Structure formats: C-alpha cells, structure tokens
Amino acid sequence: MSNNVVHLHKNPEQPTTPNAQVTTLTVVPATPAAPLVPLWVRSGRAIRTAVTHESTKTVGRAVARHGLYVWGGGRIVARRTWDGRTGARYERFLRAAEAAGNMELAGEWEERLQRFREARHRRRMDLLTSPIDIAKGALVGTGLGIGTLIALGVVLAIANKDITDVVTPISAVIDFIRLLITIVQVVWGPALRVGPLLALLALWAVGRHQQAAPAWALPANVRSGEGEPITPSIVVKALRDLGIPAMRNAIKEMGDAGASMLGPIRIAGCGVEVDVTLPSGVSTNEVQQRRRKLAENLTRHEHEVFITIPQAARTVRLWVADSGALDEPIGPSPLTTDDTLTADYAKGRAPWGQDLRGDAAAISLYQRHLLITGLSNQGKTVALRSLALWVALDRSVQFLMGDLKGVGDWAMFDGLATTLIQGPTDEHVMDVTEMVEGAVQEMNRRIQAPPGTVFPPLIVVVDEAQVAFMCPAKDDAKNPYGGSKANSRYFMAVRKIHNQGRAVNVLMWQGTQDPTDQNLPKLVREGAHTRASLALGTESQARMALGDKAVDGGAAPNMLRPGLDRGTLVVASDGIQIPAGQASITVRTHYIDDDQAKAITDRARALRDGVTTLHAVDRDQDRDPLADIASVVGTAERVRTKDVLSRLGTLNADAYGGWSFIDLKRVLDGTGAEPYKSDGVMVVGRDRLARALANHDGEGSASAAE
C-alpha cells in the first residue's frame, strides 16, 4: 500500500465558468516514519548491556569466588581428615620414592606405614573392650563419689548439729546437674541453627586462605600473580602444565603430586633457586625449549627465569627472579669507589659486576684471550673497557689498542697504551693489522728467549674487530687485510697470537658486534679462553659467541632483552667462578662512564714512569734508531733495556722485532747515552738520550749544510 497523502484544494486562477473554480488534486509523498523497534528487542539489548557490564562481571565473580571458597575449603578439610585417619599420606610418599628410584627412602616410608597400621589396629582392638572398662570405671567412680558426698554430709551434720545436712552435698550435685541440663536445653536450639553456619564460615576461611577457587573468579591482583612467591606447589603445577605428556602423567602417578621432584627452594640473590629431578622419559632439553611457557606458568617474564643443567643427572636448575628485580640497577664498580685499589694481573681478579644471586662476579685475566660480542649499543665497549681499566692498575701491563669505531671510547688510554689507533676507515684497519702483526713479532722474540724468562704482559685490544674482518683493502702483494683466508693478514695475525701468545703473556682481546661467520670466523672465536656475550638475536648467534657446550648447558644470550638488559653478559670461562655442573654464568656488569674511566686511567698513569703513545704505524720510511729509542723511553727518567727492546719491537716489528741487547748497545755506543746499571739492572737514561739526540741532530744539520 502507498504511503502518499492526497490533498484537495481549489484553484481560483483558472475558472471555467463564472462563479466557478477548479478543484486541483495534488499527491504529496509522505515522509517515511521511523521504524518501530519491538519491545522485546529493546529489553534484550538492555539485559545484554547489564549482563556484560564490568560491574556485573565483578559482582558475579565475587559471588562465585566466595561460594567456591566454601567448596574448596571443604575439599581441603576432607583431604586433611582422610590423611590423618588413614595411611594415605605414607602411601603417597612411598609411591613418590619408588617413582624417583630411591628404594632406600621407599623402604623407610613403608616401615613408617607399617608402624602406623599397627598402632591403628591396637586402637581398634582397644575399642572392643572399652565399653566394659568404661562401665566398670563409671560404677567405681559413682560409688566412690557417693561415698565421698555422704562422708562430707556427715561431717557437715556433726559440725552444724543438723542431721539433714547429711544429704546436703548430694542435693547440691543434683541441683548442679539440673542446671547443666537447663543450660543445654536453652543453648541446644540456637546451636543447631548457628553451628552449620559456623562450620561453613570455617570452610570458607580455609578456602580463602588457600585461594581455592578458579583463576577467573579470583580478584584481579591475585589473578595476575604479579610478584607471587615461588612455592613447591607453584613449581610443580608450572612443570605439569608445560605440555610434556610424560611429565604430566608422571606427576599424576606420584602420590605426593610431584613434590619429591623438587629440591629445597633456596634464596639466591634477587630470586630463588630450585633443582628439579625430572621423571623418567623427560629430557632436560625438553624443559629448556619451553622456557617462555615455564616463565608464564610461574607468573614471570621470560627474562626472569633461567634454566641451567647442574652436575646431577636428569636434573634442571631453575633460577626465578623476584618480579621486576632484574630491572633494578646494581651498585657502582669498586674501581670508582676505592681510589687505593690496584691490580695484580697474575693473581688478582677484575671486579666485573654481580651474578644473578647478587654475589660479586670477579674474573681472572691471567693468560686468557678474550672475546666479547653482542648486538650494537648493548654495552660491549664499556664491559671490555672496564677489564682494561682494572688491569691498567698493574704497572707491568702494556697495551696495544685499536678502536675501529673511533668515537673516543678509548681515548683515556692515551699515555698508557704504547699504540692507540682510533678510526673506522680502511687506513685505520691497516694500522691496526700491522700493530697486531708487531705483537706477533714480539711474541716470536719472547718465544726464542731462554727458558724461564718472565715477560711483562702485553695485551692487544681491538674493539669493533668485525670492521677488520670485513675490510676489503689489500696490500701491495695483493694480500687482503680482512677476510678469513690463509693470506688474510689480520685473521692470520690473530690466529698466531691465539696459538702461542698465552705462554709468553701476549694476549688478544677483541670486541665484536652481531657475530656471523663472515665478521667473526670460527677459528678466531674458538681461540678465546673467555667468551662473553650480551644480547643477541638468535640461538645460532649465541652458539657462535659462546660455543655449543655453553648453549646446550643453558646459556641463552639470545633471550636477553635488547636495550633493557644492556650490560648483562653471559660468560663462559674458567676464569670466573661458575656453579658446579654449569657451563656459563650470567653477569650484570658495572657501568663505568667516560669521566670515571679518565679518573682511573689518571691513577694508572701515576703508577708508571711515562709512556709515549703512537697513534699510527709508520710504514715505508727510513728509521732513525736513536730517535725511536728516545720515543719509546718517553718521559720516564730511566727505562730498563729489556723494556726498551719490547717497546721497539712493538713500534716497528720489521725494524726492531729481532733486536737483542747487543743491537741496542751497538746503536748507543759512542753517543753518550750508553746503557748503564741502576739498582742492579741495565737501563737507558732519558737525559743522556736527549743530549745524544741533540748532538745527533746537530751533526745531521752540519752535514746537510756542507
């Protein structure tokens, strides 16, 4: 049917006859009316809104929660009562000991169960004769009681001279019994009504204390579990829900619900530690591969749970941090708080930071090559530099340093390092390569020394070493500076130091980022005695950084959070104390900023006589031995001839790498700067060298004038 509206009106402008008017018919479309919504639809929407409102959900959860507290409390009380009245508890522990393979403990629990059953049998047999014993006791007691009351009445009658007082005590007892009956009659009715309510309240209190309700019904703060303390039941439940069928079935079969799997939960720094003996059919790597799920089951973030393999067989060690504890900074380095602190390269340990237990993590650097890697901007340079700062406080240590980033991170070692090259270009890589090759020459010279000769430690530090490995430049003989081939100069120099340097105290320390087979060759990374890694992207990178053994043993630098875990290292080394059975340890390193580093190097310079630092390697030019000797002596008043030879070899291995004392004496003879004895050792004097060099320069000028 049409909804149009018909209007009739007269048109006075078109009359057909006098006094006549035309009536016009106009059809006007009707305005559509709003559709009517049925009442039941509107009511349904209102009901849905009310039901899904957050307040309704909160009230519903509260009602369900408190009701389930009563039910859960009843189950708990019933279980406790059953355990107390039967041998169920002993049987559970017996089955658990058998499942764990501990037959000795199983035998002990079986003996306890047998003793419990014997005692229960005796109690039940006593119940058979107890009615007769009770009747006899009641008769005897009643007779004695009546006799006592009569005797007391006789005494009262004699005292009061009234024969009726004989029954007064008996009458008093009867009145007391009547009073008790009256009290019971008054109280019994309300007690029958209130008693069940009190029982329900007691069950509710037990259920509430144990949180005996489903997770969805618990309050939001409890449901989140944030910061929830780690208890045996939580650990067992987390393991049961890992999704490992053999684990779940074994826990169900254990009489103690899996409690026997756990060792003692120990406080360990900012968290707790527990050893878990896995049931038969469950391997340790199955648990390791489910680290994230285990952490979530424990109401923790993934980075707050560490899984390692201890010495015991079929066991995993869980370290669970207190919620948020790993985001808190650690204290300052002892290097910045103790101005009197010195180092001992051979016997001391560098204070590097703290382990996860909060204990100080100190590492020995003695005759150990070092490799630190990680993603960019994670604290690699600061971690490497902090070790160099500590060992610099041993005045016997010499440094050759190459910073292939070149932004001044190592500038404070100017005046400490014999060579300090800073920059990222190919020319800087060439200088660093020749510096390392000079260290190889010094190593060879030391190897050829008489047996038993003690050499000062020479530490070659190359930061951002991946720049050297990836350098495309070649020398005049077309040998590449970078790469990992047999003619790659930097690679071969590092390999030579790794092979033989440790024995003569020539050490290689490298820092690299984002390791791959191209920028960190396999032979180089496996030549380091101490391997440490900051946050990495993948497990394959973690294996490159630390080795398969450490990663298989639980090391997981790829699980560290880039940015948030800056400065946190996973270390694999025999130079740091690692818990027995583990292959690595996680260390949160101290942060030493540039200003603090400068203050430490100032103290290190004060321990030395003075070191002249070279910032480039001289190539393809004639050498002036006398000038080079003066440069390596520097500002020190006198330097031992042995140290002069070592510094000359570092300055230019090709020219001075094979020098001996005879060569040094030959150059200085006749110049007035000949070596002489001071405190029983041969030395070269700074002032004598200055005069000899001035005379040498004067003679050179005169010759040129002629």
Side-chain angles (χ1 to χ4, degrees):
M1 173 182 284
S2 175
N3 292 325
N4 295 336
V5 180
V6 179
H7 294 276
L8 295 175
H9 61 86
K10 296 179 179 180
N11 188 351
E13 297 180 358
Q14 297 179 353
T16 56
T17 60
N19 302 323
Q21 293 181 343
V22 178
T23 299
T24 304
L25 178 65
T26 304
V27 180
V28 180
T31 303
L36 296 176
V37 179
L39 179 61
W40 65 270
V41 174
R42 286 179 292 178
S43 300
R45 291 175 178 173
I47 292 173
R48 184 178 63 182
T49 302
V51 170
T52 58
H53 194 273
E54 187 60 33
S55 299
T56 306
K57 292 181 180 179
T58 302
V59 173
R61 279 197 298 266
V63 173
R65 176 170 66 251
H66 291 287
L68 291 169
Y69 279 164
V70 176
W71 172 256
R75 291 176 61 250
I76 294 171
V77 170
R79 181 68 177 270
R80 291 174 179 174
T81 303
W82 178 257
D83 286 346
R85 301 294 297 176
T86 67
R89 178 184 293 118
Y90 299 95
E91 292 175 357
R92 283 202 306 272
F93 284 116
L94 173 60
R95 289 196 298 270
E98 289 176 346
N102 192 340
M103 294 299 105
E104 181 179 355
L105 183 59
E108 181 179 345
W109 281 113
E110 186 175 10
E111 183 180 351
R112 292 183 181 181
L113 176 60
Q114 186 63 30
R115 289 200 300 267
F116 170 80
R117 287 173 174 171
E118 291 175 356
R120 184 179 60 184
H121 177 71
R122 286 195 301 270
R123 289 195 302 271
R124 289 177 177 176
M125 295 303 294
D126 291 341
L127 289 176
L128 297 177
T129 59
S130 60
I132 300 175
D133 295 336
I134 292 173
K136 290 180 179 179
L139 290 174
V140 173
T142 303
L144 291 175
I146 293 174
T148 302
L149 292 174
I150 293 174
L152 181 60
V154 171
V155 173
L156 288 174
I158 296 173
N160 296 330
K161 299 179 180 180
D162 187 355
I163 191 62
T164 60
D165 286 344
V166 173
V167 296
T168 298
I170 297 176
S171 300
V173 171
I174 294 173
D175 292 340
F176 178 72
I177 294 173
R178 184 182 296 114
L179 176 62
L180 290 179
I181 293 173
T182 303
I183 293 173
V184 169
Q185 289 175 340
V186 173
V187 174
W188 183 253
L192 289 178
R193 292 188 291 269
V194 177
L197 297 178
L198 294 177
L200 291 176
L201 181 61
L203 296 178
W204 174 86
V206 173
R208 182 177 180 274
H209 179 73
Q210 298 292 335
Q211 296 295 329
W216 59 266
L218 296 176
N221 59 335
V222 178
R223 190 165 61 249
S224 66
E226 193 70 25
E228 186 177 6
I230 301 300
T231 62
S233 61
I234 289 177
V235 176
V236 172
K237 186 175 182 299
L239 293 169
R240 185 195 67 194
D241 297 339
L242 272 184
I244 304 175
M247 175 92 76
R248 183 176 59 253
N249 295 334
I251 292 175
K252 287 182 179 179
E253 293 174 1
M254 292 181 182
D256 61 349
S260 61
M261 297 167 50
L262 308 183
I265 296 180
R266 304 175 296 273
I267 296 177
C270 57
V272 296
E273 184 179 73
V274 59
D275 287 351
V276 180
T277 302
L278 302 178
S280 178
V282 182
S283 62
T284 55
N285 65 330
E286 287 183 283
V287 178
Q288 286 181 306
Q289 292 168 0
R290 291 168 171 80
R291 178 185 175 189
R292 173 175 294 181
K293 190 170 186 178
L294 178 61
E296 292 171 352
N297 291 347
L298 292 169
T299 65
R300 295 294 190 272
H301 297 291
E302 185 177 10
H303 71 277
E304 294 176 328
V305 174
F306 288 82
I307 306 172
T308 54
I309 310 299
Q311 196 168 5
R314 214 175 69 215
T315 303
V316 293
R317 178 169 294 162
L318 307 181
W319 185 87
V320 185
D322 297 336
S323 185
L326 293 184
D327 296 328
E328 299 293 331
I330 64 173
S333 170
L335 294 174
T336 63
T337 58
D338 186 359
D339 293 340
T340 63
L341 184 67
T342 58
D344 185 341
Y345 159 77
K347 299 179 181 179
R349 290 178 177 266
W352 211 5
Q354 293 180 0
D355 62 17
L356 295 179
R357 295 166 179 79
D359 299 329
I363 185 169
S364 172
L365 305 174
Y366 178 65
Q367 292 188 345
R368 289 179 176 88
H369 303 304
L370 176 68
L371 172 65
I372 298 180
T373 187
L375 297 178
S376 177
N377 195 31
Q378 298 304 308
K380 167 181 54 63
T381 297
V382 172
L384 181 61
R385 188 177 67 183
S386 65
L387 298 180
L389 289 171
W390 176 81
V391 80
L393 296 175
D394 184 336
R395 60 177 298 169
S396 67
V397 176
Q398 303 172 7
F399 291 105
L400 299 177
M401 291 184 168
D403 175 15
L404 293 177
K405 184 188 297 181
V407 295
D409 290 336
W410 297 85
M412 66 286 300
F413 282 87
D414 197 349
L416 277 177
T418 306
T419 302
L420 175 60
I421 299 169
Q422 303 178 86
T425 66
D426 289 349
E427 288 73 17
H428 292 104
V429 172
M430 296 177 188
D431 285 345
V432 168
T433 300
E434 296 190 14
M435 176 190 76
V436 177
E437 290 174 339
V440 173
Q441 294 292 332
E442 170 64 13
M443 176 189 72
N444 292 333
R445 185 188 70 81
R446 295 182 177 190
I447 292 174
Q448 296 170 3
T453 305
V454 179
F455 299 99
L458 174 62
I459 300 177
V460 183
V461 181
V462 179
D463 195 12
E464 306 296 341
Q466 76 279 355
V467 177
F469 286 113
M470 300 300 291
C471 178
K474 296 183 178 181
D475 60 14
D476 295 338
K478 302 301 181 182
N479 293 319
Y481 284 91
S484 57
K485 297 181 180 180
N487 61 343
S488 299
R489 294 181 59 178
Y490 180 79
F491 169 75
M492 291 305 298
V494 172
R495 286 292 300 138
K496 290 175 182 177
I497 294 177
H498 279 175
N499 289 339
Q500 296 178 298
R502 183 191 64 82
V504 290
N505 279 335
V506 177
L507 305 179
M508 191 77 207
W509 291 6
Q510 295 182 97
T512 70
Q513 63 175 256
D514 202 10
T516 65
D517 283 328
Q518 289 72 39
N519 64 25
L520 187 59
K522 178 180 176 65
L523 292 177
V524 170
R525 60 182 186 250
E526 291 187 350
H529 302 98
T530 295
R531 300 167 72 172
S533 176
L534 296 118
L536 289 173
T538 64
E539 182 179 327
S540 61
Q541 288 184 315
R543 292 183 181 276
M544 292 180 189
L546 300 176
D548 291 337
K549 180 180 179 181
V551 174
D552 291 339
N558 52 304
M559 294 297 181
L560 297 174
R561 302 166 297 167
L564 297 177
D565 289 325
R566 184 179 288 112
T568 299
L569 286 163
V570 182
V571 184
S573 172
D574 62 349
I576 192 169
Q577 186 175 357
I578 298 177
Q582 294 182 201
S584 64
I585 188 172
T586 301
V587 177
R588 304 172 68 197
T589 58
H590 296 296
Y591 178 73
I592 302 176
D593 61 30
D594 290 348
D595 293 336
Q596 293 172 330
K598 291 175 183 176
I600 297 170
T601 52
D602 288 342
R603 287 158 45 197
R605 272 188 286 270
L607 298 174
R608 290 166 169 79
D609 295 329
V611 176
T612 301
T613 300
L614 301 178
H615 297 91
V617 176
D618 295 331
R619 297 187 294 272
D620 300 329
Q621 65 179 19
D622 295 335
R623 311 294 310 184
D624 183 349
L626 189 60
D628 287 343
I629 293 171
S631 68
V632 299
V633 169
T635 59
E637 183 179 355
R638 64 182 69 87
V639 177
R640 293 187 299 177
T641 55
K642 182 173 67 174
D643 293 339
V644 171
L645 290 171
S646 175
R647 295 178 184 181
L648 285 173
T650 303
L651 177 65
N652 192 294
D654 294 334
Y656 306 116
W659 270 33
S660 65
F661 175 76
I662 296 175
D663 298 308
L664 179 64
K665 187 174 182 301
R666 172 178 51 79
V667 171
L668 295 179
D669 279 348
T671 63
E674 294 85 354
Y676 63 96
K677 274 194 174 183
S678 175
D679 296 330
V681 296
M682 297 299 292
V683 299
V684 177
R686 177 195 60 196
D687 296 337
R688 297 185 181 186
L689 275 173
R691 289 193 296 269
L693 191 59
N695 296 333
H696 177 69
D697 292 340
E699 293 174 1
S701 300
S703 300
E706 294 176 359

